């Protein structure tokens, strides 16, 4: 496993909990209530991530189907370009909003994981005998976050490639390129110019969205100071 898992005291033999009774401690009830609240909030956050992503892809699919019908009816003429220039900006607006909301949701999910790590630290302070039984981390620093979130010290490229923000960002970039190509066609540009401008617009959109998302996550990470580091 990664560094985070290697530092856990799980290799120690289990201790007997027969004499442990913390049910009378009122602080435990407060901590458990807060823990369940964070779990419920995290579940709502993940539901919103799936819902927003699904809604955007549904809107995109409906727009593509509508464009195909109009293209068959007009033969990719001026009416098709007018319709495309009306519907694609709406799809792009929804996509950009979805991308930024997914970035915010990922940040919120990280905060919730850190909050549960802090509560887990409190459990261990109240009952140190429980430490060998925790799989998730009880530290609220970056290694603790990664251990609880992914059960390893760091995530690979495949994790980022499969993330919802990246998928939505790539789709947004493609929509931007297509919209730019359609606008160029409406202005009378040739096939070569449309292709170059469309690809350039798509790459520029991907770079802009990726930079904004990275800066947002980096700013939150930079301003955070753990209370119970490893």
């Amino acid at each position: 496993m990664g560094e985070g898992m290697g530092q856990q005291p799980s290799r120690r033999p289990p201790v007997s909990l027969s004499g442990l009774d913390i049910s009378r401690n009122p602080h435990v009830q407060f901590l458990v209530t807060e823990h369940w609240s964070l779990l419920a909030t995290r579940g709502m956050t993940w539901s919103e991530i799936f819902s927003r992503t699904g809604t955007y892809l549904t809107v995109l699919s409906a727009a593509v189907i509508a464009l195909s019908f109009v293209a068959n009816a007009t033969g990719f003429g001026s009416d098709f370009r007018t319709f495309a220039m009306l519907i694609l900006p709406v799809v792009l607006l929804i996509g950009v909003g979805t991308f930024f909301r997914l970035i915010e949701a990922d940040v919120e999910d990280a905060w919730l994981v850190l909050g549960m790590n802090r509560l887990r630290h409190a459990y261990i302070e109240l009952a140190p005998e429980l430490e060998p039984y925790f799989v998730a981390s009880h530290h609220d620093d970056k290694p603790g976050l990664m251990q609880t979130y992914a059960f390893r010290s760091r995530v690979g490229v495949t994790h980022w490639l499969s993330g919802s923000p990246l998928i939505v960002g790539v789709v947004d970039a493609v929509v931007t390129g297509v919209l730019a190509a359609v606008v160029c066609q409406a202005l009378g540009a040739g096939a070569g110019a449309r292709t170059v401008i469309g690809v350039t617009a798509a790459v520029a959109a991907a770079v802009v969205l990726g930079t904004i998302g990275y800066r947002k996550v980096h700013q939150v990470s930079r301003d955070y100071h753990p209370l119970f580091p490893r």
Side-chain angles (χ1 to χ4, degrees):
M1 285 296 179
E3 175 186 356
M5 293 293 291
Q7 294 181 358
Q8 282 293 309
S10 56
R11 296 182 180 274
R12 297 189 310 180
V15 295
S16 174
L17 301 180
S18 58
L20 181 62
D21 182 14
I22 58 175
S23 60
R24 300 180 182 276
N25 193 327
H27 297 86
V28 176
Q29 303 299 326
F30 300 150
L31 295 173
V32 170
T33 301
E34 177 67 10
H35 203 146
W36 278 107
S37 176
L38 295 181
L39 284 173
T41 305
R42 193 182 184 202
M44 294 173 59
T45 301
W46 276 94
S47 296
E48 183 183 6
I49 290 175
F50 296 139
S51 176
R52 292 292 293 265
T53 304
T55 300
Y56 172 53
L57 295 180
T58 300
V59 171
L60 177 64
S61 300
V64 172
I65 294 174
L67 287 172
S68 65
F69 286 153
V70 174
N72 289 332
T74 62
F76 293 96
S78 59
D79 292 337
F80 169 79
R81 293 192 294 270
T82 301
F83 182 74
M85 287 187 293
L86 288 175
I87 194 172
L88 288 179
V90 177
V91 175
L92 183 59
L93 178 62
I94 296 175
V96 172
T98 300
F99 175 80
F100 289 133
R101 180 57 195 139
L102 293 181
I103 294 295
E104 294 288 344
D106 279 351
V107 172
E108 293 170 7
D109 186 60
W111 276 107
L112 294 171
V113 171
L114 291 174
M116 287 187 284
N117 282 8
R118 291 182 180 180
L119 295 175
R120 211 170 285 110
H121 190 88
Y123 297 152
I124 293 178
E125 286 185 348
L126 292 172
E129 299 86 349
L130 296 176
E131 185 174 3
Y133 298 91
F134 283 107
V135 176
S137 176
H138 56 274
H139 298 285
D140 61 343
D141 52 5
K142 184 177 179 180
L145 171 66
M146 296 309 302
Q147 179 181 334
T148 300
Y149 188 78
F151 296 103
R152 49 191 176 223
S153 59
R154 60 176 60 88
V155 293
V157 178
T158 55
H159 175 85
W160 298 110
L161 291 178
S162 61
S164 297
L166 180 63
I167 295 175
V168 172
V170 170
V171 174
D172 288 343
V174 173
V175 173
T176 302
V178 173
L179 179 59
V182 171
V183 172
C184 290
Q185 184 182 16
L187 295 177
R194 293 197 304 267
T195 302
V196 172
I197 294 176
V199 172
T200 302
V203 173
V207 171
V208 170
L209 291 177
T211 302
I212 294 176
Y214 173 79
R215 286 183 177 179
K216 176 63 179 178
V217 174
H218 180 70
Q219 179 183 2
V220 174
S221 176
R222 180 191 59 194
D223 296 339
Y224 174 72
H225 302 286
L227 298 179
F228 307 105
R230 189 177 303 275

